[in-house]
Amino acid sequence: MTTDSSLRSGPGTTGRRSSSSRDGRDGRDGRAGGDGGGGRVHGHLPGREHLPARQPVAAASAVPVLDVVVPVYNEEKDLHPCVVRLHGHLARTFPYPFRITVADNASTDSTPAVAVALAAELPGVRYVRLEEKGRGRALRTVWSASDAPVLAYMDVDLSTDLNALLPLVAPLISGHSDLAIGSRLARSSRVVRGTKREFISRAYNLILRSSLAAGFSDAQCGFKAIRREVAERLLPMVEDSGWFFDTELLVLAERAGLRIHEVPVDWIDDPDSTVHIVRTATEDLKGVWRVGRALAVGALPLDRLARPFGDDPRDRALTGVERGLARQLIGFCAVGALSTLFYLALYSLFRLGVGPQVANGGALLVSAVANTAANRRLTFGVRGRSGAVRHQAQGLVVFAIGLALTSGSLAALGAASGSPSHGTELAVLITANLAATVLRFLLLRAWVFPSRACSEPDFEPDSDSDSDPDSEDVR
């Protein structure tokens, strides 16, 4: 059960400049539909947009631009000075309306009374009560119900210098990034904390990098922000409700290709922190194992978030720009590696009964046909039988060039050493094939399977590729 106590200004906004709710629209405009996780996970995310700098005054009291959540559990001592300081900083420096939400994780001391008093004392402060513990549960509950387009959270001890708050949320407000995190491990960060916590933090992030291929530098800094539409899609996928919540959120966001902005922070350790390090580390390692296993078996529907934005330049139909080079290189290398092994096996087999030149020519011919067919389908995405004969004929020309390189190398080896060993022949052939491979890729890409991105627009839904019997299905 969640109790929302907002005793002043309704949901609570403040700020020194007038603002409104997304050009006067209702604050929940643009959601993926539905109250639960199911509807929010399926739709593509909209294009990122810069939030308007000025909004009508009438809407300013209804929808803030930023909702900062402060999760607390038995923080009767630190809560009041923290919120007063945070509120004063936002009122002085933040150019948009804001809200501060105190999320109480079933506190048993006087924290609820302090929070209620703060909500009555300060405009733009509200109190939410949860009857279960868990930082992740508190963030999920408040973020899921918030109408602010930018959502953030910070620890109640305010270990992070508040001057980093505006740089944290600015890339989200501008539409540049999807999530933002404070980093205590960046080169320019200034951190004061004990050796034990420093070691644990760095060891944990090293584990994330090695096991989950995480690219962000600091998973557990209590200073993060996310755009609301991104949170709506990601939160239903995050299982953890405790300290591992932010790590899981970041890993899923990164794997989905979302943009994460990092801000170096000035951070001072709180010696009175109530976090149980050993228990938290154990739960985090369990979370790493669970998420790693889910990613390995493809249990998470991250494809629903892959390249989600309409403003992605890769989604635009541009002329004169080569596309797909990286993917083609990967495909060509994979096909080339398999073709080389196939070629060497054939050469060794043919060499048992014939001379080196004949064995080389036969092995190269058979592997070239297979190589062209594989590259046609896997590397350059050409489907169907149309043009296959022409492609193989052009592939044979490429084969002839490779034959000249490899046969010439063998001839040069024979002239130099007379009767070389089989191992020496293989070494020379591998070297020659590497040179031929580079030339083969260039010829295949520019001549055999030329890119159509430079001369033709992207696929149009109204076109019928089957209407032209000579057309090739290139995807």
Side-chain angles (χ1 to χ4, degrees), residues 17-29:
R17 302 184 186 179
S18 341
S19 46
S20 80
S21 163
R22 299 174 68 125
D23 295 328
R25 295 174 291 178
D26 177 62
R28 296 181 181 271
D29 182 33

Side-chain angles (χ1 to χ4, degrees), residues 155 159 182-186 189-205 217-222 265-271 277:
D155 293 335
S159 295
S183 175
R184 298 163 296 184
L185 303 180
S189 297
R190 292 176 289 186
V191 177
V192 178
R193 61 176 167 179
T195 304
K196 184 169 89 169
R197 284 181 175 269
E198 179 77 11
F199 173 77
I200 292 175
S201 179
R202 291 189 178 275
Y204 178 64
N205 283 281
S217 66
D218 192 351
Q220 288 288 27
C221 181
V265 298
D266 299 337
W267 195 85
I268 300 177
D269 192 11
D270 178 15
I277 297 179

Side-chain angles (χ1 to χ4, degrees), residues 43 77 80 108 126 154 179 220 266 285 300 372:
K77 176 182 177 183
H80 186 275
T108 56
R126 69 169 179 168
M154 62 180 59
L179 299 91
Q220 288 288 27
D266 299 337
L285 291 177
L300 296 169
T372 300

Side-chain angles (χ1 to χ4, degrees), residues 277-445:
I277 297 179
V278 176
R279 182 172 64 242
T280 301
T282 301
E283 294 301 319
D284 285 346
L285 291 177
K286 291 180 181 178
V288 170
W289 168 256
R290 174 177 55 79
V291 172
R293 182 177 56 184
L295 291 173
V297 300
L300 296 169
L302 296 179
D303 57 312
R304 295 172 183 167
L305 290 174
R307 293 183 60 191
F309 299 111
D311 59 348
D312 191 328
R314 295 171 297 181
D315 291 332
R316 300 173 188 168
L318 301 177
T319 59
V321 178
E322 291 287 342
R323 302 170 67 182
L325 177 59
R327 181 186 60 80
Q328 290 176 357
L329 277 173
I330 294 173
F332 180 79
C333 289
V335 171
L338 294 176
S339 297
T340 300
L341 294 176
F342 183 50
Y343 161 77
L344 292 175
L346 287 176
Y347 176 82
S348 298
L349 179 64
F350 294 162
R351 190 67 177 84
L352 297 176
V354 297
Q357 292 289 2
V358 176
N360 174 64
L364 197 56
L365 176 61
V366 175
S367 62
V369 172
N371 181 278
T372 300
N375 276 311
R376 181 178 188 270
R377 175 66 178 83
L378 301 178
T379 302
F380 299 99
V382 181
R383 299 180 176 89
R385 297 180 179 179
S386 177
V389 175
R390 174 170 57 83
H391 293 154
Q392 283 292 350
Q394 292 173 310
L396 288 177
V397 174
V398 177
F399 152 74
I401 297 174
L403 178 62
L405 282 174
T406 54
S407 296
S409 300
L410 280 176
L413 177 64
S417 59
S419 180
S421 65
H422 180 66
T424 303
E425 288 179 354
L426 288 180
V428 170
L429 286 174
I430 291 173
T431 303
N433 265 283
L434 289 177
T437 296
V438 176
L439 183 59
R440 184 183 303 123
F441 175 75
L442 297 176
L443 289 174
L444 288 177
R445 191 169 194 266

